[in-house]
Amino acid sequence: MTAKKIYIRSFGCQMNEYDSNRIVDLMTGGCGYEKTATPEDADLIVFNTCSIRDKAQQKVYSELGRIRHLKEENPGLRIAVGGCVASQEGRAIIERAPFVDVVFGPQTLHRLPSLLDQCAHCRRSQVDVSFPGIAKFDYLPRPHVDGAAAFVSIMEGCSKFCTYCVVPYTRGQELSRPVSDVIREIKELADQGVCEITLLGQNVNAYRGTLPDGEEIDFAMLLELISALDGIERIRFMTSHPSEFTPRLIDAFRRLPKLVSHVHLPVQSGSNRILELMKRGYTAERFEEIVRGLRQARPGICITSDFIVGFPGETEEDFEQTMEMVERVGFDASFSFVYSPRPGTPAASMKDDTPQSVKLERLQRLQKANDARAAAISEAMVGTRQRVLVTGMSRKGGGMLAARTDNNRVVNFKGNLDLLGRMVEVLVTEVRVHTLAGELAGKPAGA
Ligand code: 5AD
Ligand code: SF4
């Protein structure tokens, strides 16, 4: 019997990317599916949607419109919509697109197989966008590993309720996985040859857990436990929140060499007035104090960030304060977005009289400043030795390998295939358009 085929399309952020991989693992693991890259030959099409910005709902409905004919041609085809748009829209998706079979949320993705069964059994579309805690982790197969790096989700949801953001509504409140589960999963990954892990969570540093002796631990202490595991050589995490960036977490960068010299720390704005309207829970001064602390603890650490421009009521002066902070901090490659009103959030009903053209012009100025700084950081890396994880062959071919630096840059260099999945040292020799070029400077022990 030939396997049924699943086609999955992921919209949006890294959390969604991770969830999509788990959905594929789930369906290919116990449910007999295999992955396909084209919707035309799929038996199951899954859209894993994101609603953080843009006209997400419309985009999903128009994408659904484009695959509708496939269902007409093949009535056996199943179509499922998951993620944050599904969570927000719920049954409305079935009402607008009755050919959709299953609607599931970020917290019910483990129920996809049973929802599909119920749909086949009752011949009716199924909707489950509830928040059953973090039960999904108990049902998902062990994480799928790609090479030497893996993602590990350690907490879900967000309870911060920034006034512009839908996440607390679509993904539910902050919930941490038990420490023992996290450690077991990472040990299993290390046994499979994984040496770099990225700890994921909407607010990863809001992590709270309990040790077997009842002691409560925070994110910094979890990092310490993970750092002690054999085989794990490099630890990343994202996304962290400034208001939970404790002195102990800053100190972790002094004490734990396995932590990469990179932190993604969204600031959103450099104006205290706007930060307060956003309900971010910190001031520009406090943010810069964290950055200073990090740079003391780990000289040369790269800080990347997210910015929102054109928040309701943002004046030229507010924006100038963001630009001044950008100059002072010197962020590495960062993301900036024009504010996008999200239905149901407090900011969506705030007065917003800045013309879109002004917002776009601000966005360009900010991006230009951040890009220039990122380019300067790349230039400054020439002549330095970097510890990198060899992730694969270079796209350019020619026997070149590709590796990733702490601050997420790809370095191409000549080396043997036996270095794949290993940490090595390279000397950076040149900046190319999107990558760096280098030479092998040190092999791992035993290679
Ligand atoms: N409009 C624009 N950007 C947003 N983000 C979150 N919500 C919005 C919104 N309504 C951005 C923030 C966040 C990143 C993941 O997306 O910068 O850090
Ligand atoms: Fe959204 Fe704010 Fe939570 Fe980040 S911290 S997910 S921006 S509500």
Side-chain angles (χ1 to χ4, degrees):
M1 201 181 87
T2 53
K4 288 184 285 182
K5 293 197 169 73
I6 173 175
Y7 168 83
I8 191 158
R9 166 119 192 249
S10 203
F11 300 73
C13 66
Q14 202 143 13
M15 288 297 286
N16 249 31
E17 205 53 60
Y18 175 82
D19 282 351
S20 295
N21 285 336
R22 305 314 303 273
I23 294 169
V24 171
D25 289 347
L26 182 70
M27 302 310 293
T28 54
C31 303
Y33 279 81
E34 65 185 35
K35 207 173 158 184
T36 170
T38 42
E40 286 74 20
D41 61 358
D43 301 284
L44 169 64
I45 295 179
V46 180
F47 282 173
N48 193 21
T49 63
C50 170
S51 59
I52 202 148
R53 290 178 296 271
D54 302 320
K55 298 183 169 35
Q57 278 90 339
Q58 285 95 309
K59 223 186 316 184
V60 171
Y61 286 118
S62 80
E63 288 296 319
L64 281 171
R66 286 157 63 118
I67 57 163
R68 184 192 189 133
H69 72 281
L70 294 175
K71 180 91 174 205
E72 284 158 6
E73 288 153 22
N74 170 15
L77 171 66
R78 294 280 162 258
I79 298 178
V81 180
C84 288
V85 173
S87 174
Q88 266 196 318
E89 296 277 283
R91 189 157 290 282
I93 293 189
I94 308 287
E95 278 152 23
R96 270 184 69 176
F99 54 95
V100 169
D101 298 285
V102 170
V103 176
F104 62 102
Q107 306 303 343
T108 48
L109 55 87
H110 58 289
R111 294 185 182 157
L112 179 58
S114 62
L115 289 166
L116 286 166
D117 283 349
Q118 277 165 32
C119 177
H121 189 69
C122 330
R123 297 174 183 278
R124 265 214 322 266
S125 303
Q126 301 292 317
V127 179
D128 183 353
V129 291
S130 59
F131 295 108
I134 48 169
K136 71 175 180 188
F137 290 108
D138 296 335
Y139 296 92
L140 287 172
R142 292 278 156 252
H144 170 78
V145 182
D146 200 7
F151 291 99
V152 176
S153 174
I154 63 164
M155 59 84 67
E156 282 279 325
C158 179
S159 311
K160 299 286 182 283
F161 289 94
C162 300
T163 54
Y164 52 82
C165 185
V166 283
V167 168
Y169 308 95
T170 58
R171 284 187 173 261
Q173 61 174 321
E174 283 163 10
L175 278 172
S176 299
R177 288 177 72 191
V179 183
S180 52
D181 284 12
V182 172
I183 298 292
R184 182 172 18 90
E185 188 163 311
I186 296 175
K187 274 187 178 160
E188 282 171 11
L189 289 167
D191 288 345
Q192 291 173 58
V194 166
C195 61
E196 174 180 305
I197 54 153
T198 303
L199 304 173
L200 282 183
Q202 217 73 46
N203 254 308
V204 76
N205 54 335
Y207 181 87
R208 298 289 179 277
T210 314
L211 294 179
D213 64 3
E215 189 194 346
E216 306 259 320
I217 68 161
D218 64 4
F219 181 60
M221 291 157 92
L222 180 73
L223 286 176
E224 201 141 335
L225 296 177
I226 296 171
S227 205
L229 299 177
D230 286 340
I232 298 300
E233 294 187 46
R234 191 149 82 158
I235 305 168
R236 301 179 181 277
F237 58 83
M238 70 181 304
T239 293
S240 47
H241 193 293
S243 75
E244 306 253 11
F245 225 99
T246 59
R248 186 150 55 194
L249 181 51
I250 292 177
D251 202 47
F253 284 85
R254 197 186 319 272
R255 289 181 296 111
L256 308 177
K258 290 182 180 178
L259 274 180
V260 291
S261 287
H262 172 214
V263 176
H264 184 68
L265 193 58
V267 63
Q268 314 298 359
S269 170
S271 151
N272 285 337
R273 201 179 68 82
I274 296 296
L275 287 171
E276 191 160 345
L277 287 173
M278 289 176 164
K279 217 168 135 266
R280 286 292 287 174
Y282 55 86
T283 59
E285 291 75 21
R286 168 72 192 129
F287 181 87
E288 290 186 48
E289 190 181 303
I290 296 170
V291 172
R292 271 196 304 278
L294 281 167
R295 289 197 165 135
Q296 264 169 20
R298 183 70 72 83
I301 193 166
C302 269
I303 313 286
T304 56
S305 199
D306 293 345
F307 298 84
I308 297 179
V309 302
F311 185 82
E314 183 190 70
T315 61
E316 198 56 36
E317 196 187 327
D318 292 315
F319 178 68
E320 274 312 321
Q321 288 174 7
T322 301
M323 291 298 283
E324 284 161 20
M325 175 196 264
V326 162
E327 272 312 304
R328 281 193 303 272
V329 171
F331 294 97
D332 197 355
S334 293
F335 300 101
S336 19
F337 313 100
V338 169
Y339 166 72
S340 156
R342 303 287 76 208
T345 59
S349 47
M350 291 180 189
K351 186 160 172 254
D352 184 2
D353 48 14
T354 312
Q356 196 66 9
S357 57
V358 172
K359 295 187 179 191
L360 287 170
E361 184 265 336
R362 287 181 191 162
L363 180 75
Q364 277 175 7
R365 274 164 65 197
L366 178 60
Q367 280 175 342
K368 213 168 141 204
N370 274 326
D371 289 353
R373 189 56 184 236
I377 292 175
S378 293
E379 282 296 342
M381 288 170 76
V382 174
T384 63
R385 285 164 80 106
Q386 300 280 332
R387 234 167 82 82
V388 295
L389 174 66
V390 186
T391 49
M393 306 289 295
S394 159
R395 291 208 191 134
K396 297 190 183 74
M400 302 288 275
L401 297 175
R404 211 161 262 282
T405 63
D406 266 17
N407 58 2
N408 269 325
R409 281 163 173 76
V410 174
V411 188
N412 295 316
F413 65 100
K414 249 196 167 49
N416 285 335
L417 284 180
D418 62 355
L419 296 180
L420 282 177
R422 316 287 291 264
M423 299 283 311
V424 297
E425 281 214 349
V426 292
L427 173 72
V428 179
T429 53
E430 203 185 319
V431 179
R432 301 261 169 84
V433 184
H434 297 292
T435 56
L436 303 172
E439 288 163 8
L440 188 60
K443 290 195 182 188

